[in-house]
Every structure is written in structure tokens, then in C-alpha cells.
Amino acid sequence: MTNHSETTGSSENGDLPGPVQPGRAARTRFDGPGDEHQVTLRTPAELADALPYLLGYRPEDSIVLAALRDRDGQGRFGGRARLGIPANTEDWAGAAGQLAQGLVTGSERRGVRPEQMVAYLCQEPAPGETGRQVMERLRPLAQRLRVECGVLDVPVVEALCISAGRFWSYCCDDEACCPSAGIPMGLPGTSVLAAAATYAGIQVRGSLSDLRARLLPRESAAAGEQEAALDAAAVPLVSRILDDTGRSEVAEETLDLARRVMRRLDLARAVSGIPAEDLRDDQLLGNDEAAALILGLQDRTTRDRAAQWMEGGEAAPALRLWRALARRCVGSYGEHAAAPLTLAGWVAWSTGDELEAREALAMALGADRDYLFARLLHQACNEGLDPESVRRCLRAERENLGDTEGETPDDDGQADGPVRRERTGSPATVPAPPGRRRRTRAGVSADGVRRRAGTQGREPGVNPARPRTSAAGERPGRARTGRTPSRTSGKEGAGRKEACPGGARSGERGTEGNGERL
């Protein structure tokens, strides 16, 4: 399977007084600007209407499980988990088991075991297919979900199929309540639940395909020009990265250019609508600039320093830049998107947007399944860990470097303060505590890289590109021969550590040994 599993939402999202049974009343609570509001859910239709508000988006082609638990005599929504519906029916049993086991295990890890489940199957009809036919086709998957949850002693009390603007219940066969023709879904945003969610500030952000569109490369005539710019920049930049002095120079040039572009993005005029915002950002980033940044970020040290732009006034323009760079990883440079996608996912997670974080990190793993930094962040985000532990690691790295990351040169090369420092009032760098020694970092010699690469039968600093198959949530990356390395793999100086979830740091790993790349 090519699906990426995910756990969504917090473990405490709403109240349900008593276990939910088909046809019985249930309530969900929203905390608004003033009083607390409770909304009663009496029917499967209202449970179906609640799904986008449980996830924060409208799922497509998805299996969703929502956990229910008892607390002080009241039922309560717990964690939620989503997985894409496998195209191969032989994978359905494995997907159902993976989803059920993952949600129950994750809930237990947070100290709250689910007592019941609500299951949703969401899929639009294929050409010539009706919504009812989708429901019947997916019935074995619904039954498999019920069996897998039952094995874990967590019964599924309602299972719904949502397709073609209608929904069906797999648990209720009463024609008066749940007719075989299905029940039309209400217009989005018109229910009592929608009104309460809007009042509480809860937003539904469209579909995952809308979110992926912000991170996928543009299919246009400009893609050829961007690929040509990447080809032209690749050989000279990689040659410099393999040199002791050149590597440091490329890192500083990459970070300085990123700061200038971030400032340009931050000062750009406002436009209305997400597509217009992304188009504006694309127009503010030149092809040569994008090529230099994409290739420069393939160096782990440079990427880690860029990851320090994660909070305050730096976070928003940094996230816009990483999205724009991911959209520029066109054609045969699809694998290079792992770095900007991981940075986009990290900044989104750091600023509280877990939905975009999970999707960007899953797409980074689709671009390069061995990208360890993305894998660690993806796992930590899915398990509901606090990103502050990673922020502490990166703040310490910034402190030890003692660099002026917050100084943002304008397009004329003159430093003009941090991005929007006047808005946040936060300093650009964290001062080093008294008595703490700063580490120095030594670059690896080009000869050393070549010797190690020689033992593996490949060019120094080159990770052979792997052909990839495009799939949902993944990015295409065709095999490359004789054009540009996919990533540099020179080992960094002694004492270099990788910031990782949970506040721990893993030792430096190159491509030698385990084949994983940070």
C-alpha cells in the first residue's frame, strides 16, 4: 500500500453524554468566545455532518475512525485516525487492522483507552457508478473494520458510507430511518453543528487535495524553465559543497538568499484567496533563486539552520518560502522536494497546524522514503508529541552557532533587521548562557568524501536517484543519470547532532551503513 496513516485531532474534542447508539441522542461541546455550547446529535445524519468538524477538513477516498470513551458518566470523542482506501481489495484487511490498532494504541499511550468507535467510509463514485454501488462495494471493508475493532474489544457502534452527496448506515437496516437509497447530506455549513463550530472558531479547510495542491509542482510551461535552471546550477553548486571552504560558502549564500526572499514575501501586498496567494509568492521567486535554494538545502547543516526559522515573525514567511520551493521541484527533481517539504511540515507543526504538518511530512516521505528527519517528525506529530521539545533543540543549535539568523538582508544585500521583528518584539537570536562553550564545526574534506563514496561504487556526495511511482500523497521523482546528484552526503564535523522529536538527538548518519538520510 502507498497510503500514509495519520492520527488527527486531540484526544478530547467534544462531549457525548452516554455511549452513542444508532438513532439515539448524542451531544458534542464547543467552547466559543463566551459561553460553552452543546449540540445534540440525534441521528446518523448528524454524525455524518460532524465528520469534517472532527477532522478539520473534508476527507476524500478515506477510512476514518473516531474513538469514543466515557468520562465522568459522559461519553466523549477521543482520537481520530484516517487512512486512504486501498485500491486493491486484498489490502483492505491490513488497512483496517492497521487503522484500528494504531488508534487504540495511540489512545492508550495518552492514557485513555477508547470504549467505542464510529467508522466512516468516504469515496466518490467512479464514472458510471452510483453512490449506492459505492456503499455496497465498500461493505466488506466496513465489516472488516467492525471485526478488527471487535478483536480489540472496542465495538463499532455506527458505520457510515458517504458518497455522491448521500450517506448510508451499515449498522441500521430500518428503511424508515436509513433508506436503501441513502439520505442526502445537508448543505455544508447550514447545520446547527456548523453554526456552533463557526462560533467556536473551528474552521473546515476544504479537502486534502486542496492542501496538497499548495505543495505539488506546477504543471505548466514554466516548469521546463525551472528544470533548466536547476540543471544549470547543479554541477557548480555540488562541486563547491564537496569542498571544505566551498561548503561553508554555499551554506551562507543559501541562508542569506533565503532571508532576502522571506523578507520579499513578507512585505508583498496582500491578495484574496489561497490560489492567489500562492501565485503571488511564485511570481516573487525567480527560477535561479529557487534552484540555488533547492540545491543548497540538500546539505543537512544548511537545512537544520533553516529549520530554526520556526516561530515568531520568521515562521509565516518561512512557511511560504518552503511551500514555494516544493512547488519548484519539477520534473526529474521530484526527490529534491523532501527538504522543503520537511521544512514546511516542521514549521506548520511548530505553529500549531497539525493538518498541514502531517500532509507535508507524508509528501516528503513520498518524495524520499529514506528521509529520516521527515520520518521522525511525522511519527512525533502523529503521536501527539509537543513540538516544543524539537524547538528547544533548534534554539540550542542557533545559540551555539551564535550567528545572526534574524538579520534579514534586503534585496540590496543590506541587513535590515529580522523579518517583522518590530511586530513580535522577540530577539533574532538567543544569547549564550555564561560559561557555555560554543562548538565549532569542521567540514569534511573532499578527499574523505571521495574515499567513502568509492567504497560504495558511486560518485562522492551522490545518492543514486530511485524511480518512483506517483500515488496519493506522494511526489513523482524520476531516475536521473548524469545530470545532478539527488543529495549531498558528506559527514559533518565532530560533535554535530541532529535535532529530533522528544528532545533527544540522534548521532550523525550519512548514507553509509543504514541507507537513511537526515
Side-chain angles (χ1 to χ4, degrees):
M1 293 187 299
T2 57
N3 298 287
H4 296 288
S5 63
E6 63 187 42
T7 301
T8 65
S10 66
S11 59
E12 298 189 1
N13 191 60
D15 285 341
L16 292 167
V20 176
Q21 300 291 348
R24 294 192 181 180
R27 294 176 191 167
T28 184
R29 184 184 70 193
F30 295 96
D31 296 325
D35 299 329
E36 180 184 281
H37 293 266
Q38 288 192 355
V39 178
T40 301
L41 307 178
R42 293 187 174 89
T43 65
E46 290 170 335
L47 280 176
D49 182 69
L51 178 59
Y53 301 97
L54 293 176
L55 297 178
Y57 62 93
R58 302 187 184 280
E60 300 173 318
D61 196 30
S62 298
I63 313 167
V64 180
L65 282 179
L68 302 174
R69 63 185 179 85
D70 181 75
R71 182 178 180 183
D72 300 328
Q74 288 190 323
R76 193 174 184 87
F77 273 119
R80 280 82 70 199
R82 188 204 72 90
L83 191 67
I85 298 177
N88 190 342
T89 58
E90 294 178 357
D91 293 330
W92 285 3
Q98 176 186 349
L99 197 64
Q101 183 68 46
L103 181 53
V104 171
T105 301
S107 298
E108 289 177 337
R109 190 179 296 117
R110 292 189 292 268
V112 183
R113 178 177 172 81
E115 297 180 355
Q116 296 174 328
M117 295 282 192
V118 176
Y120 300 85
L121 298 178
C122 308
Q123 190 174 73
E124 290 304 299
E129 190 178 30
T130 66
R132 177 175 170 79
Q133 289 172 329
V134 172
M135 182 271 292
E136 293 294 349
R137 176 168 53 80
L138 296 179
R139 186 181 291 276
L141 176 55
Q143 181 60 26
R144 192 71 242 175
L145 282 169
R146 298 173 74 178
V147 169
E148 293 293 341
C149 291
V151 168
L152 297 171
D153 198 25
V154 184
V156 173
V157 296
E158 183 61 276
L160 301 174
C161 176
I162 300 174
S163 181
R166 291 177 172 263
F167 80 89
W168 291 260
S169 171
Y170 291 112
C171 297
C172 178
D173 57 3
D174 185 348
E175 189 69 20
C177 172
C178 299
S180 58
I183 300 176
M185 298 283 293
L187 292 175
T190 60
S191 66
V192 174
L193 178 62
T198 301
Y199 182 73
I202 297 174
Q203 296 181 348
V204 176
R205 299 175 55 185
S207 66
L208 288 182
S209 59
D210 296 332
L211 185 55
R212 292 189 190 110
R214 307 195 72 183
L215 302 168
L216 287 169
R218 298 286 188 252
E219 298 295 336
S220 64
E225 298 174 2
Q226 182 62 72
E227 189 167 13
L230 284 160
D231 285 340
V235 173
L237 269 179
V238 172
S239 297
R240 293 176 62 199
I241 290 173
L242 291 176
D243 176 74
D244 285 345
T245 303
R247 187 181 188 194
S248 296
E249 292 175 350
V250 171
E252 294 305 324
E253 291 168 5
T254 301
L255 294 169
D256 287 345
L257 175 58
R259 294 185 193 107
R260 291 199 302 273
V261 176
M262 283 167 56
R263 179 167 179 81
R264 193 185 309 159
L265 296 175
D266 201 35
L267 297 177
R269 63 180 178 83
V271 295
S272 177
I274 289 176
E277 290 175 358
D278 291 343
L279 179 60
R280 173 203 58 198
D281 292 349
D282 288 339
Q283 292 172 342
L284 292 171
L285 179 63
N287 288 335
D288 292 341
E289 292 175 323
L293 290 170
I294 290 168
L295 294 167
L297 289 172
Q298 304 309 305
D299 177 68
R300 290 190 297 267
T301 308
T302 308
R303 179 209 64 199
D304 288 354
R305 290 176 63 186
Q308 295 164 7
W309 302 326
M310 60 194 170
E311 54 193 343
E314 295 171 330
L319 180 55
R320 289 166 58 188
L321 175 58
W322 308 144
R323 289 190 194 120
L325 292 180
R327 295 193 292 267
R328 297 299 186 94
C329 293
V330 296
S332 51
Y333 288 86
E335 191 179 64
H336 286 65
L341 283 170
T342 301
L343 290 170
W346 159 237
V347 176
W349 185 35
S350 179
T351 54
D353 188 348
E354 293 186 5
L355 175 58
E356 180 168 1
R358 280 190 300 270
E359 200 59 30
L361 293 169
M363 292 174 68
L365 292 172
D368 184 351
R369 62 179 176 270
D370 295 328
Y371 208 68
L372 186 57
F373 192 36
R375 190 189 311 164
L376 292 171
L377 291 174
H378 190 240
Q379 180 180 355
C381 183
N382 281 342
E383 292 183 355
L385 300 183
D386 187 350
E388 178 59 23
S389 57
V390 189
R391 285 194 291 260
R392 283 197 299 266
C393 290
L394 292 173
R395 289 189 197 110
E397 291 291 321
R398 188 171 188 167
E399 177 183 316
N400 290 337
L401 280 172
D403 64 12
T404 55
E405 293 283 339
E407 293 300 317
T408 309
D410 211 337
D411 285 342
D412 60 3
Q414 299 298 315
D416 195 22
V419 176
R420 293 295 194 224
R421 180 191 285 184
E422 67 276 8
R423 241 182 0 211
T424 65
S426 59
T429 60
V430 180
R436 183 168 182 176
R437 181 182 301 174
R438 290 177 179 166
R439 292 200 306 263
T440 58
R441 299 184 180 183
V444 66
S445 69
D447 289 340
V449 174
R450 293 188 183 97
R451 281 196 299 272
R452 284 197 299 273
T455 64
Q456 299 172 333
R458 62 176 182 260
E459 290 298 317
V462 177
N463 289 322
R466 295 182 298 277
R468 297 191 181 280
T469 302
S470 178
E474 295 189 357
R475 300 176 57 97
R478 298 193 294 274
R480 298 178 56 80
T481 56
R483 296 180 68 177
T484 180
S486 62
R487 206 167 319 280
T488 59
S489 62
K491 218 174 215 183
E492 294 154 21
R496 176 74 177 96
K497 300 290 185 180
E498 175 69 21
C500 60
R505 299 185 183 184
S506 61
E508 181 68 19
R509 299 184 192 177
T511 56
E512 308 85 46
N514 59 12
E516 294 179 328
R517 289 193 292 279
L518 291 172

